[in-house]
Amino acid sequence: MKQIKTYHHKKILVLGLAKSGVTAASLLHKLGAFVTVNDKKPFSENPEAQGLLEQGIKVICGEHPIELLDEGFELIVKNPGIPYENPLIQSAIEKGIPVITEVELAYQISEAPFIGITGTNGKTTTTTLVYEMMKAGNKRPLIAGNIGTVASGVAEKAAMEDTIVIELSSFQLMGIKTFNPKIAIVTNIYDAHLDYHGSKEDYIAAKANITKNQTEDEFLIINADQAETMDIARHSNARIVPFSTKKVLKEGACIQDGWICFDNEKVMPIADIALPGTHNLENILSAVAAVKLSGVDNSSIHEVLTSFTGVRHRLQFVAELDGRKFYNDSKATNILATIKALNAFQSPVILLAGGLDRGNEFDELIPFLKNVKTMITFGQTAPKLERIGQLAGINVIKRVDNVDKAVPAAFANSNPGDVILLSPACASWDQYKTFEVRGDIFIDAVHKLK
């Protein structure tokens, strides 16, 4: 870890806890800052805040009082999930107080370079593939961000010989100032999180921050099949490395004559890839580009791609029971992700879907429900999904209270050869704290059937 003096004797407010806030507060305390932590959860119900208090860090819980800013803070480290419309954040911006996310802090202290991955879909799979390929190639990767350990905690222990492979959300990228990955990946851009960002333009601008500090010495791996991503490339100073699933490229990653290719070199046959779903070819191509730029050999790439079958909660195969195959795609928190999951199967599908109602309809799903024979709905969006299920001509549509009850209902309405797929097309927050919790409940419910 770089022993930076930037925060020595500076008054810093860490807003919002969870893992990233706890790690950032502890790190800033070690760097000599005067840290105050503010979290909405009451202190009596907040073990994280209690632990920080024991370290000698000032803790204020229960609300986000505007009066806090009267204490003269020089910086705010904000939990990514707290919107910029929060009155305290708005007031801080008006006062000229810088607001960053914990990822920026990680970059400032890290001795290791970063490979940063963002995009609407495929971030976690791509991040995992890059990490596993680099590990197979003995390149000393460390994994961080939403998928692994908190970034600043990883950076604190990273050496110059390591590489931090990090998944980055638009929320995190809005709060960077100097963060600059050696290699950046933008997998794709679709409508998402518009309730947070306000518009698609602002959402794209947040994603584009991944390359805003890059120079010609760094690389931006970009989806060449999308106008939105290529527009990001046009405004980047980095060396552009395209990937495409639709056309042959002379430079970058593509598919040619049944092979994954990079810079006109055949890397491995597509037929050898174990990961299901044509949509995963985007993730594979971008990951291959990143590791080839990092010096990983083709045999290490082949080793990973012939054995890697998916990430937990991302079209994850759970079990086969009486001829039914169960897949956990709880990470499908938007319509596009569910479309991609549905396109991965030719067999009849029992679709389990529903969750937080963000105000949108689901008519985009209708053309992709042709293999869905039964729909099991739950959560706030159950009526909306039932409407489009009826329009798609699905014969059996049942509503249940939650995912735990959806699994036996799906099994009761299935036959051997069917796929039972949890792919909610919605966030989990109406019933579950995270999509991971929702997916774990699905997995447990499947195992209860045995």
Side-chain angles (χ1 to χ4, degrees):
M1 179 179 81
K2 294 177 182 175
Q3 294 298 323
I4 60 173
K5 302 295 183 183
T6 311
Y7 302 117
H8 190 67
H9 287 178
K10 296 284 181 68
K11 291 193 72 173
I12 299 175
L13 175 64
V14 175
L15 189 64
L17 282 178
K19 291 181 181 179
S20 64
V22 171
T23 305
S26 296
L27 176 60
L28 288 164
H29 184 63
K30 292 175 190 174
L31 293 171
F34 300 127
V35 182
T36 298
V37 168
N38 177 221
D39 193 62
K40 253 191 169 178
K41 190 188 295 184
F43 184 77
S44 60
E45 304 169 14
N46 202 326
E48 295 87 359
Q50 294 167 18
L52 292 172
L53 185 64
E54 290 174 4
Q55 294 181 41
I57 294 171
K58 184 178 178 181
V59 174
I60 298 170
C61 290
E63 59 177 341
H64 295 314
I66 296 289
E67 301 77 38
L68 258 180
L69 298 182
D70 295 338
E71 296 189 18
F73 293 109
E74 297 169 76
L75 177 73
I76 293 177
V77 181
K78 181 185 76 69
N79 182 290
I82 297 174
Y84 283 82
E85 286 72 27
N86 179 286
L88 195 149
I89 295 295
Q90 284 286 305
S91 182
I93 292 170
E94 290 169 6
K95 291 175 181 288
I97 303 172
V99 179
I100 65 171
T101 52
E102 172 267 343
V103 169
E104 172 68 13
L105 182 60
Y107 178 76
Q108 292 175 12
I109 65 162
S110 179
E111 294 183 359
F114 285 76
I115 296 177
I117 297 103
T118 196
T120 304
N121 293 313
K123 296 186 295 296
T124 301
T125 298
T126 303
T127 302
T128 306
L129 284 171
V130 171
Y131 170 77
E132 293 295 342
M133 290 176 190
M134 292 191 69
K135 186 168 69 171
N138 297 313
K139 296 299 180 182
R140 296 186 52 165
L142 302 170
I143 199 163
N146 295 337
I147 185 174
T149 313
V150 175
S152 55
V154 174
E156 192 175 352
K157 299 173 183 176
M160 286 186 289
E161 298 80 15
D162 297 323
T163 297
I164 298 176
V165 183
I166 181 169
E167 176 185 341
L168 295 163
S169 70
S170 57
F171 301 169
Q172 291 169 310
L173 288 167
M174 283 186 75
I176 65 168
K177 304 296 181 186
T178 63
F179 177 81
N180 185 14
K182 180 68 178 175
I183 298 172
I185 298 174
V186 181
T187 58
N188 48 56
I189 297 287
Y190 299 97
D191 289 355
H193 303 302
L194 301 189
D195 52 338
Y196 184 100
H197 292 285
S199 70
K200 186 173 182 178
E201 291 73 21
D202 287 346
Y203 172 62
I204 293 172
K207 291 293 191 186
N209 276 348
I210 197 169
T211 188
K212 76 172 185 178
N213 296 314
Q214 287 189 300
T215 70
E216 59 187 14
D217 295 325
E218 286 93 40
F219 299 92
L220 173 62
I221 298 170
I222 203 82
N223 190 333
D225 297 331
Q226 281 196 311
E228 293 89 346
T229 50
M230 291 307 293
D231 190 55
I232 291 174
R234 279 189 288 275
H235 292 89
S236 173
N237 293 317
R239 175 184 160 187
I240 305 302
V241 180
F243 68 90
S244 173
T245 61
K246 299 178 179 178
K247 52 197 173 192
V248 174
L249 304 174
K250 292 182 179 179
E251 294 182 347
C254 65
I255 300 164
Q256 185 173 6
D257 299 328
W259 283 72
I260 298 289
C261 298
F262 181 75
D263 284 356
N264 268 333
E265 175 194 2
K266 289 183 175 179
V267 177
M268 68 172 288
I270 290 177
D272 291 351
I273 294 171
L275 188 61
T278 54
H279 66 284
N280 275 315
L281 287 175
E282 279 188 358
N283 308 326
I284 289 167
L285 289 173
S286 61
V288 166
V291 300
K292 289 292 287 183
L293 291 171
S294 303
V296 174
D297 59 279
N298 291 351
S299 61
S300 297
I301 294 171
H302 189 273
E303 175 188 334
V304 171
L305 289 179
T306 53
S307 59
F308 181 81
T309 57
V311 178
R312 191 173 179 86
H313 309 300
R314 283 88 176 168
L315 210 58
Q316 171 199 4
F317 175 70
V318 176
E320 182 171 350
L321 182 61
D322 294 342
R324 288 86 161 167
K325 292 183 178 180
F326 292 81
Y327 286 86
N328 166 29
D329 194 36
S330 185
K331 180 60 171 67
T333 57
N334 57 56
I335 294 169
L336 178 69
T338 295
I339 288 172
K340 290 190 173 184
L342 291 168
N343 282 340
F345 301 104
Q346 301 300 317
S347 304
V349 172
I350 316 294
L351 176 63
L352 283 58
L356 182 71
D357 190 346
R358 282 176 157 153
N360 60 287
E361 297 294 337
F362 295 87
D363 296 71
E364 295 167 67
L365 271 177
I366 293 174
F368 303 94
L369 297 174
K370 55 185 179 294
N371 287 341
V372 176
K373 57 183 273 189
T374 300
M375 180 184 284
I376 311 293
T377 66
F378 50 84
Q380 292 177 355
T381 56
K384 291 183 174 182
L385 287 159
E386 289 160 11
R387 180 185 69 82
I388 63 115
Q390 290 165 0
L391 291 173
I394 297 173
N395 293 324
V396 181
I397 301 173
K398 292 184 176 294
R399 188 186 305 186
V400 295
D401 292 338
N402 51 46
V403 170
D404 192 43
K405 292 183 178 179
V407 171
F411 186 75
N413 287 276
S414 66
N415 296 305
D418 290 349
V419 166
I420 297 177
L421 169 67
L422 171 69
S423 191
C426 304
S428 63
W429 304 323
D430 60 331
Q431 292 183 304
Y432 306 103
K433 186 176 181 181
T434 64
F435 71 81
E436 290 96 340
V437 171
R438 180 171 63 188
D440 287 339
I441 288 171
F442 174 79
I443 293 169
D444 290 343
V446 171
H447 291 319
K448 286 177 188 174
L449 293 174
K450 295 180 179 179

